[in-house]
Amino acid sequence: MGKDKNISTIRIKNKRASFEYFLLDKLVAGIALTGTEIKSIRAGKANLSDSYCVFKGNEMFVVGMHISEYENGTYNNHDPKRDRKLLLTKKELRKMKSKVNEKGLTIVPVVMFINGNGLAKLEIALAKGKHYFDKRESLKEKQTKREMERY
């Protein structure tokens, strides 16, 4: 019997990202994980709300992403807040690094999901911070959209 190629239902979203930032350019990256981390993600026990991406040398890491410890893990359990390496090509890394060096841009994780092959992927976005009045404007748009759907 082969693996099930069904589309996974695991989609962990960073809801704060679209509220705090203008999302400019999106990219899908793999994540280097340990065994207990992938089991916790498949159980849906991860949080992206306070995470961001940084460059350390020529590699990109996601910082502040919380993956809860696996319930049945023993002494092999992982640190929930450790920095995790993102798997990108050199071309993608150079492109993102040059854009981050511009003023006011950062990289934030938007969605974590498990693809058809069972691999954990992280959708990251190049983002520019919103000001207070931009956040108010996005809340107004959200309310009007909700009211239009009611009628």
Side-chain angles (χ1 to χ4, degrees):
M1 303 231 155
K3 284 185 178 179
D4 254 1
K5 295 287 183 175
N6 295 340
I7 296 173
S8 177
T9 58
I10 304 297
R11 286 189 66 81
I12 300 165
K13 296 179 183 176
N14 185 356
K15 295 177 183 176
R16 282 185 60 192
S18 60
F19 181 71
E20 297 280 335
Y21 301 99
F22 292 112
L23 303 178
L24 306 175
D25 188 21
K26 292 185 179 178
L27 186 67
V28 176
I31 315 169
L33 298 172
T34 63
T36 55
E37 287 175 329
I38 190 67
K39 289 181 178 190
S40 290
I41 290 171
R42 286 189 179 131
K45 295 183 178 180
N47 187 357
L48 299 174
S49 64
D50 292 329
S51 57
Y52 58 95
C53 298
V54 295
F55 281 96
K56 293 180 183 175
N58 288 331
E59 297 176 334
M60 188 186 301
F61 289 85
V62 62
V63 178
M65 179 171 67
H66 186 274
I67 299 176
S68 298
E69 289 187 347
Y70 184 57
E71 296 173 355
N72 298 327
T74 56
Y75 62 91
N76 290 328
N77 244 334
H78 61 275
D79 178 25
K81 285 267 194 185
R82 78 175 181 91
D83 298 348
R84 293 165 181 93
K85 182 178 174 182
L86 294 180
L87 307 173
L88 293 165
T89 63
K90 287 182 182 180
K91 183 179 178 182
E92 292 169 335
L93 285 169
R94 268 188 310 229
K95 179 182 169 188
M96 294 299 260
K97 194 169 191 174
S98 67
K99 289 186 178 183
V100 166
N101 289 336
E102 293 177 20
K103 184 182 175 193
L105 294 179
T106 187
I107 302 172
V108 292
V110 181
V111 177
M112 181 189 289
F113 61 95
I114 297 187
N115 69 0
N117 294 333
L119 302 173
K121 299 289 183 177
L122 187 68
E123 184 176 305
I124 58 175
L126 194 66
K128 184 173 183 170
K130 285 185 181 180
H131 294 289
Y132 179 71
F133 54 86
D134 293 327
K135 293 177 188 177
R136 283 192 316 201
E137 190 65 35
S138 61
L139 282 174
K140 287 178 188 176
E141 288 175 14
K142 198 173 178 181
Q143 281 181 332
T144 56
K145 184 179 177 184
R146 229 184 262 145
E147 288 174 6
M148 294 295 281
E149 288 176 0
R150 281 188 198 146
Y151 298 116

Coordinates of all heavy atoms in Angstrom, one line a residue, residues 53-129:
C53 N 11.3 36.2 9.8 CA 12.4 35.5 9.2 C 13.6 36.4 9.2 O 13.5 37.6 8.9 CB 12.1 35.1 7.7 SG 10.7 33.9 7.6
V54 N 14.8 35.9 9.4 CA 16.0 36.6 9.4 C 17.1 35.8 8.7 O 17.0 34.6 8.5 CB 16.5 36.9 10.9 CG1 15.6 37.8 11.6 CG2 16.8 35.6 11.6
F55 N 18.1 36.6 8.2 CA 19.2 36.0 7.5 C 20.4 35.8 8.6 O 20.7 36.7 9.3 CB 19.7 36.8 6.4 CG 18.9 36.7 5.1 CD1 17.9 37.6 4.9 CD2 19.1 35.7 4.3 CE1 17.1 37.4 3.7 CE2 18.4 35.5 3.1 CZ 17.4 36.4 2.9
K56 N 21.0 34.6 8.6 CA 22.2 34.4 9.4 C 23.2 33.8 8.4 O 23.1 32.7 8.0 CB 21.9 33.4 10.5 CG 21.0 33.9 11.6 CD 20.7 32.9 12.6 CE 19.7 33.4 13.6 NZ 19.4 32.4 14.7
G57 N 24.1 34.7 8.0 CA 25.0 34.3 6.9 C 24.3 34.3 5.6 O 23.6 35.3 5.3
N58 N 24.4 33.2 4.9 CA 23.7 33.1 3.6 C 22.5 32.2 3.8 O 22.0 31.6 2.8 CB 24.6 32.6 2.5 CG 25.6 33.6 2.1 OD1 25.3 34.8 2.2 ND2 26.8 33.2 1.7
E59 N 22.0 32.0 5.0 CA 20.8 31.1 5.2 C 19.7 31.9 5.8 O 20.0 32.9 6.6 CB 21.2 29.9 6.1 CG 22.3 29.0 5.5 CD 22.7 27.9 6.4 OE1 22.6 28.1 7.7 OE2 23.1 26.9 5.9
M60 N 18.5 31.5 5.6 CA 17.3 32.1 6.2 C 16.7 31.2 7.3 O 16.6 30.0 7.1 CB 16.3 32.5 5.2 CG 15.1 33.3 5.7 SD 13.8 33.6 4.6 CE 14.6 34.4 3.3
F61 N 16.4 31.8 8.4 CA 15.8 31.1 9.5 C 14.5 31.8 9.9 O 14.4 33.0 9.8 CB 16.7 31.1 10.8 CG 18.0 30.3 10.6 CD1 19.1 30.7 10.0 CD2 18.0 29.0 11.1 CE1 20.2 29.9 9.8 CE2 19.1 28.2 10.9 CZ 20.2 28.6 10.3
V62 N 13.5 31.0 10.4 CA 12.3 31.6 11.0 C 12.5 31.6 12.5 O 12.9 30.6 13.1 CB 11.1 30.8 10.5 CG1 11.1 29.4 11.0 CG2 9.8 31.5 11.0
V63 N 12.2 32.8 13.1 CA 12.4 33.0 14.5 C 11.1 33.2 15.2 O 10.2 33.9 14.6 CB 13.4 34.2 14.7 CG1 13.5 34.5 16.2 CG2 14.7 34.0 14.0
G64 N 10.9 32.7 16.3 CA 9.7 32.9 17.1 C 8.5 32.1 16.8 O 7.4 32.2 17.3
M65 N 8.7 31.1 15.9 CA 7.6 30.2 15.5 C 7.5 29.2 16.6 O 8.5 28.5 17.0 CB 7.8 29.5 14.2 CG 6.7 28.5 13.8 SD 6.9 27.9 12.1 CE 8.4 26.9 12.3
H66 N 6.3 29.0 17.2 CA 6.1 28.1 18.3 C 5.5 26.8 17.8 O 4.4 26.8 17.3 CB 5.2 28.7 19.4 CG 5.1 27.9 20.6 ND1 4.1 26.9 20.8 CD2 5.8 27.9 21.8 CE1 4.3 26.3 22.0 NE2 5.3 26.9 22.6
I67 N 6.2 25.7 18.0 CA 5.6 24.3 17.8 C 5.6 23.6 19.1 O 6.7 23.4 19.7 CB 6.5 23.6 16.7 CG1 6.5 24.3 15.4 CG2 5.9 22.2 16.5 CD1 7.4 23.7 14.3
S68 N 4.4 23.3 19.6 CA 4.3 22.6 20.9 C 5.0 21.3 20.9 O 5.2 20.7 19.9 CB 2.8 22.4 21.2 OG 2.2 23.6 21.3
E69 N 5.5 20.9 22.1 CA 6.1 19.7 22.3 C 5.2 18.5 22.0 O 4.0 18.6 22.3 CB 6.7 19.5 23.7 CG 7.9 20.4 24.0 CD 8.5 20.1 25.3 OE1 7.9 19.4 26.1 OE2 9.6 20.6 25.6
Y70 N 5.7 17.5 21.4 CA 4.9 16.3 21.1 C 4.5 15.6 22.4 O 5.4 15.3 23.2 CB 5.6 15.4 20.1 CG 4.9 14.2 19.6 CD1 3.7 14.4 19.0 CD2 5.4 12.9 19.8 CE1 2.9 13.3 18.5 CE2 4.7 11.8 19.3 CZ 3.5 12.0 18.7 OH 2.7 10.9 18.3
E71 N 3.2 15.2 22.5 CA 2.7 14.6 23.7 C 3.5 13.3 24.0 O 3.8 13.0 25.2 CB 1.2 14.3 23.6 CG 0.4 15.5 23.4 CD -1.1 15.1 23.1 OE1 -1.4 13.9 23.0 OE2 -1.9 16.0 23.1
N72 N 3.7 12.5 23.0 CA 4.3 11.1 23.3 C 5.8 11.1 23.1 O 6.4 10.1 23.1 CB 3.6 10.1 22.3 CG 2.1 10.0 22.6 OD1 1.7 10.1 23.7 ND2 1.4 9.7 21.5
G73 N 6.4 12.3 22.9 CA 7.8 12.4 22.8 C 8.5 12.2 24.2 O 8.0 12.7 25.2
T74 N 9.6 11.6 24.2 CA 10.3 11.3 25.4 C 11.4 12.4 25.6 O 11.2 13.5 25.4 CB 10.9 9.9 25.4 OG1 11.7 9.8 24.3 CG2 9.8 8.9 25.3
Y75 N 12.6 11.9 25.9 CA 13.7 12.9 26.1 C 14.1 13.4 24.7 O 14.9 14.3 24.6 CB 14.9 12.2 26.7 CG 15.4 11.0 26.0 CD1 16.4 11.2 25.0 CD2 14.9 9.7 26.1 CE1 16.9 10.1 24.3 CE2 15.4 8.6 25.4 CZ 16.4 8.8 24.5 OH 16.9 7.8 23.7
N76 N 13.6 12.9 23.6 CA 13.9 13.3 22.3 C 13.1 14.5 21.8 O 13.2 15.0 20.7 CB 13.6 12.2 21.2 CG 14.6 11.1 21.3 OD1 15.8 11.3 21.7 ND2 14.2 9.9 21.1
N77 N 12.2 15.0 22.7 CA 11.4 16.2 22.4 C 12.2 17.4 22.0 O 13.4 17.6 22.5 CB 10.4 16.5 23.5 CG 9.0 16.3 23.1 OD1 8.7 16.4 21.9 ND2 8.1 16.0 24.1
H78 N 11.6 18.3 21.3 CA 12.3 19.5 20.7 C 12.0 20.7 21.6 O 11.1 20.7 22.4 CB 11.9 19.8 19.3 CG 10.4 20.0 19.2 ND1 9.5 19.0 19.1 CD2 9.7 21.2 19.2 CE1 8.2 19.5 19.1 NE2 8.4 20.9 19.1
D79 N 12.8 21.8 21.4 CA 12.6 23.1 22.0 C 11.5 23.8 21.2 O 11.7 24.0 20.0 CB 13.9 23.9 22.0 CG 13.7 25.3 22.6 OD1 12.9 25.4 23.4 OD2 14.5 26.2 22.2
P80 N 10.4 24.2 21.9 CA 9.3 24.8 21.1 C 9.6 26.1 20.4 O 9.0 26.3 19.3 CB 8.2 25.0 22.2 CG 8.6 24.2 23.3 CD 10.1 24.0 23.3
K81 N 10.5 26.9 20.8 CA 10.8 28.2 20.2 C 12.1 28.3 19.5 O 12.5 29.3 19.2 CB 10.8 29.3 21.3 CG 9.4 29.6 21.8 CD 8.9 30.8 21.0 CE 7.7 31.4 21.7 NZ 7.1 32.4 20.9
R82 N 12.7 27.1 19.1 CA 14.0 27.2 18.4 C 13.9 27.8 17.0 O 12.8 27.8 16.4 CB 14.6 25.8 18.4 CG 14.1 24.9 17.3 CD 14.9 23.6 17.3 NE 14.4 22.7 16.3 CZ 14.9 22.7 15.0 NH1 15.8 23.5 14.6 NH2 14.4 21.9 14.1
D83 N 15.0 28.3 16.6 CA 15.1 28.9 15.2 C 15.1 27.7 14.2 O 15.9 26.8 14.4 CB 16.3 29.7 15.0 CG 16.3 30.9 15.9 OD1 15.3 31.2 16.6 OD2 17.4 31.6 16.0
R84 N 14.3 27.8 13.1 CA 14.3 26.7 12.2 C 14.7 27.2 10.8 O 14.3 28.3 10.4 CB 12.8 26.2 12.1 CG 12.5 25.5 13.4 CD 11.0 25.2 13.6 NE 10.7 24.6 14.8 CZ 10.4 25.2 15.9 NH1 10.4 26.5 15.9 NH2 10.2 24.6 17.1
K85 N 15.6 26.4 10.2 CA 16.1 26.8 8.9 C 15.1 26.6 7.8 O 14.3 25.6 7.7 CB 17.3 25.9 8.6 CG 18.0 26.3 7.3 CD 19.3 25.4 7.1 CE 19.9 25.6 5.8 NZ 21.0 24.7 5.6
L86 N 15.0 27.6 6.9 CA 14.2 27.5 5.7 C 15.0 27.0 4.5 O 16.1 27.4 4.3 CB 13.5 28.9 5.4 CG 12.6 29.4 6.5 CD1 12.1 30.8 6.0 CD2 11.4 28.5 6.7
L87 N 14.3 26.2 3.7 CA 15.0 25.5 2.6 C 14.6 26.3 1.3 O 13.5 26.1 0.8 CB 14.6 24.1 2.5 CG 14.9 23.3 3.8 CD1 14.3 21.9 3.7 CD2 16.4 23.3 4.2
L88 N 15.5 27.1 0.8 CA 15.3 27.9 -0.4 C 16.5 27.7 -1.3 O 17.6 27.4 -0.8 CB 15.1 29.4 0.0 CG 13.9 29.7 0.7 CD1 14.0 31.1 1.3 CD2 12.6 29.7 -0.2
T89 N 16.3 28.0 -2.6 CA 17.5 28.0 -3.5 C 18.3 29.2 -3.3 O 17.9 30.2 -2.7 CB 17.0 27.9 -5.0 OG1 16.2 29.1 -5.3 CG2 16.1 26.7 -5.2
K90 N 19.5 29.2 -3.8 CA 20.5 30.3 -3.7 C 19.9 31.5 -4.4 O 20.0 32.7 -3.9 CB 21.8 30.0 -4.2 CG 22.6 29.0 -3.4 CD 24.0 28.8 -4.0 CE 24.7 27.8 -3.1 NZ 26.1 27.5 -3.6
K91 N 19.3 31.3 -5.5 CA 18.7 32.4 -6.3 C 17.6 33.1 -5.5 O 17.5 34.3 -5.4 CB 18.1 31.9 -7.6 CG 17.6 32.9 -8.5 CD 17.1 32.3 -9.8 CE 16.5 33.4 -10.7 NZ 16.0 32.8 -12.0
E92 N 16.7 32.3 -4.9 CA 15.6 32.9 -4.1 C 16.2 33.6 -2.8 O 15.7 34.7 -2.5 CB 14.7 31.8 -3.6 CG 13.9 31.1 -4.7 CD 13.1 29.9 -4.3 OE1 13.6 29.2 -3.3 OE2 12.1 29.6 -4.9
L93 N 17.2 33.1 -2.2 CA 17.8 33.7 -1.1 C 18.4 35.0 -1.4 O 18.3 36.0 -0.7 CB 18.9 32.8 -0.4 CG 18.3 31.6 0.4 CD1 19.5 30.7 0.7 CD2 17.6 32.1 1.6
R94 N 19.2 35.1 -2.6 CA 19.8 36.4 -3.0 C 18.7 37.4 -3.3 O 18.8 38.6 -2.9 CB 20.6 36.1 -4.2 CG 22.1 35.8 -4.0 CD 22.8 35.8 -5.3 NE 22.0 35.0 -6.2 CZ 22.6 34.0 -6.9 NH1 23.8 33.8 -6.9 NH2 21.8 33.2 -7.7
K95 N 17.6 37.0 -3.9 CA 16.5 37.9 -4.3 C 15.9 38.5 -3.0 O 15.7 39.7 -2.9 CB 15.5 37.2 -5.1 CG 14.3 38.0 -5.5 CD 13.3 37.2 -6.3 CE 12.0 37.9 -6.5 NZ 11.0 37.0 -7.0
M96 N 15.6 37.7 -2.1 CA 15.0 38.1 -0.8 C 15.9 39.0 0.0 O 15.5 40.0 0.6 CB 14.5 36.9 0.0 CG 13.4 36.1 -0.6 SD 11.9 37.1 -0.9 CE 11.0 36.6 0.5
K97 N 17.2 38.6 0.0 CA 18.2 39.4 0.8 C 18.4 40.8 0.3 O 18.5 41.7 1.0 CB 19.5 38.6 0.9 CG 20.5 39.2 1.9 CD 21.7 38.2 2.1 CE 22.5 38.6 3.3 NZ 23.5 37.7 3.6
S98 N 18.4 40.9 -1.0 CA 18.5 42.2 -1.6 C 17.3 43.1 -1.4 O 17.4 44.3 -1.1 CB 18.8 42.1 -3.1 OG 17.6 41.6 -3.8
K99 N 16.1 42.5 -1.4 CA 14.9 43.3 -1.1 C 14.8 43.7 0.4 O 14.3 44.7 0.7 CB 13.7 42.5 -1.5 CG 13.6 42.4 -3.0 CD 12.3 41.8 -3.5 CE 12.2 41.8 -5.0 NZ 10.9 41.2 -5.4
V100 N 15.3 42.8 1.3 CA 15.2 43.1 2.7 C 16.1 44.2 3.1 O 15.9 45.0 4.0 CB 15.5 41.8 3.5 CG1 15.8 42.1 5.0 CG2 14.4 40.8 3.5
N101 N 17.2 44.3 2.3 CA 18.2 45.4 2.6 C 17.6 46.8 2.3 O 18.1 47.8 2.7 CB 19.5 45.2 1.9 CG 20.3 44.1 2.5 OD1 20.1 43.7 3.6 ND2 21.1 43.4 1.7
E102 N 16.5 46.8 1.5 CA 15.8 48.1 1.2 C 15.1 48.6 2.5 O 14.9 47.8 3.5 CB 14.7 47.9 0.2 CG 15.2 47.6 -1.2 CD 14.1 47.3 -2.2 OE1 13.0 47.8 -1.9 OE2 14.4 46.7 -3.2
K103 N 14.8 49.8 2.6 CA 14.3 50.4 3.8 C 12.8 49.9 4.1 O 12.0 50.0 3.2 CB 14.3 51.9 3.7 CG 13.8 52.7 4.9 CD 13.8 54.1 4.7 CE 13.2 54.8 5.9 NZ 12.9 56.2 5.6
G104 N 12.6 49.5 5.3 CA 11.3 49.2 5.8 C 10.7 47.8 5.4 O 9.5 47.6 5.6
L105 N 11.4 46.9 4.8 CA 10.9 45.7 4.4 C 11.4 44.5 5.3 O 12.5 44.6 5.8 CB 11.3 45.3 2.9 CG 10.8 46.3 1.8 CD1 11.3 45.8 0.5 CD2 9.3 46.3 1.8
T106 N 10.5 43.6 5.5 CA 10.8 42.4 6.3 C 10.2 41.2 5.7 O 9.4 41.3 4.8 CB 10.3 42.6 7.8 OG1 10.8 41.5 8.6 CG2 8.8 42.7 7.9
I107 N 10.5 40.0 6.2 CA 9.9 38.8 5.7 C 9.2 38.1 6.9 O 9.7 37.9 8.0 CB 11.0 37.8 5.2 CG1 11.8 38.5 4.2 CG2 10.4 36.5 4.7 CD1 13.1 37.7 3.7
V108 N 7.9 37.8 6.6 CA 7.0 37.2 7.6 C 6.4 35.9 7.1 O 6.0 35.9 5.9 CB 5.9 38.2 8.1 CG1 6.5 39.4 8.9 CG2 5.0 38.6 7.0
P109 N 6.3 34.9 8.0 CA 5.5 33.7 7.6 C 4.0 34.0 7.5 O 3.5 34.6 8.4 CB 5.9 32.7 8.7 CG 6.8 33.4 9.6 CD 6.9 34.8 9.2
V110 N 3.4 33.5 6.5 CA 1.9 33.7 6.4 C 1.1 32.5 6.7 O 0.2 32.5 7.4 CB 1.6 34.3 5.0 CG1 0.1 34.5 4.8 CG2 2.4 35.5 4.7
V111 N 1.5 31.4 6.0 CA 0.7 30.1 6.2 C 1.7 28.9 6.3 O 2.7 28.9 5.5 CB -0.2 29.9 5.0 CG1 -0.9 28.5 5.1 CG2 -1.2 31.0 4.8
M112 N 1.5 28.0 7.2 CA 2.2 26.7 7.2 C 1.2 25.7 6.8 O 0.1 25.6 7.3 CB 2.7 26.5 8.6 CG 3.5 25.2 8.7 SD 3.9 24.7 10.4 CE 5.1 25.9 10.8
F113 N 1.7 24.8 5.9 CA 0.8 23.7 5.5 C 1.6 22.4 5.2 O 2.8 22.5 5.2 CB 0.0 24.1 4.2 CG 0.9 24.5 3.0 CD1 1.1 23.5 2.1 CD2 1.4 25.7 2.9 CE1 1.9 23.8 1.0 CE2 2.1 26.1 1.8 CZ 2.4 25.1 0.8
I114 N 0.9 21.3 5.0 CA 1.6 20.1 4.7 C 1.1 19.7 3.2 O -0.1 19.7 3.0 CB 1.2 19.0 5.7 CG1 1.8 19.4 7.0 CG2 1.8 17.6 5.2 CD1 1.7 18.3 8.1
N115 N 2.1 19.6 2.3 CA 1.8 19.3 0.9 C 1.3 17.9 0.7 O 1.3 17.1 1.6 CB 2.9 19.8 0.0 CG 4.1 18.9 0.1 OD1 4.2 17.9 0.9 ND2 5.1 19.2 -0.7
G116 N 1.1 17.5 -0.5 CA 0.6 16.2 -0.9 C 1.6 15.1 -0.6 O 1.2 13.9 -0.4
N117 N 2.9 15.4 -0.5 CA 3.9 14.4 -0.2 C 4.1 14.3 1.3 O 5.0 13.5 1.7 CB 5.2 14.8 -0.9 CG 5.1 14.7 -2.4 OD1 4.3 14.0 -2.9 ND2 5.9 15.5 -3.1
G118 N 3.4 15.0 2.1 CA 3.6 14.9 3.5 C 4.7 15.8 4.1 O 5.1 15.6 5.2
L119 N 5.2 16.8 3.3 CA 6.3 17.7 3.7 C 5.7 19.0 4.2 O 4.7 19.5 3.7 CB 7.2 17.9 2.6 CG 7.9 16.7 1.9 CD1 8.7 17.1 0.7 CD2 8.8 16.0 2.9
A120 N 6.3 19.5 5.3 CA 5.8 20.8 5.9 C 6.4 21.9 5.0 O 7.6 21.9 4.7 CB 6.3 20.9 7.3
K121 N 5.5 22.8 4.6 CA 6.0 24.0 3.8 C 5.5 25.2 4.5 O 4.5 25.2 5.2 CB 5.3 23.9 2.4 CG 5.8 22.7 1.6 CD 7.2 22.8 1.2 CE 7.6 21.6 0.3 NZ 8.9 21.7 -0.2
L122 N 6.2 26.3 4.3 CA 5.9 27.6 4.9 C 5.8 28.6 3.8 O 6.8 28.8 3.1 CB 7.0 28.0 5.9 CG 6.7 29.2 6.8 CD1 5.6 29.0 7.8 CD2 8.0 29.5 7.6
E123 N 4.7 29.3 3.7 CA 4.5 30.4 2.8 C 5.0 31.7 3.4 O 4.4 32.1 4.5 CB 3.1 30.5 2.3 CG 2.9 31.6 1.2 CD 1.5 31.6 0.7 OE1 1.0 30.6 0.3 OE2 0.9 32.7 0.8
I124 N 6.1 32.3 2.9 CA 6.6 33.5 3.5 C 6.3 34.7 2.5 O 6.1 34.4 1.3 CB 8.1 33.4 3.7 CG1 8.9 33.1 2.5 CG2 8.4 32.4 4.8 CD1 10.4 33.0 2.6
A125 N 6.2 35.9 3.1 CA 5.9 37.0 2.2 C 6.9 38.2 2.6 O 7.2 38.4 3.8 CB 4.5 37.5 2.5
L126 N 7.3 38.9 1.6 CA 8.0 40.1 1.7 C 7.0 41.2 2.2 O 5.9 41.3 1.5 CB 8.7 40.5 0.4 CG 9.7 41.6 0.5 CD1 10.9 41.1 1.3 CD2 10.2 42.0 -0.9
A127 N 7.2 41.9 3.3 CA 6.2 42.7 3.8 C 6.7 44.1 4.2 O 7.9 44.3 4.5 CB 5.6 42.0 5.1
K128 N 5.8 45.1 4.1 CA 6.1 46.4 4.6 C 5.1 46.8 5.7 O 3.9 46.5 5.5 CB 5.9 47.4 3.4 CG 6.3 48.8 3.7 CD 6.3 49.7 2.5 CE 6.8 51.0 2.9 NZ 7.0 51.9 1.8
G129 N 5.6 47.3 6.7 CA 4.7 47.6 7.9 C 3.7 48.6 7.6 O 3.9 49.6 6.9

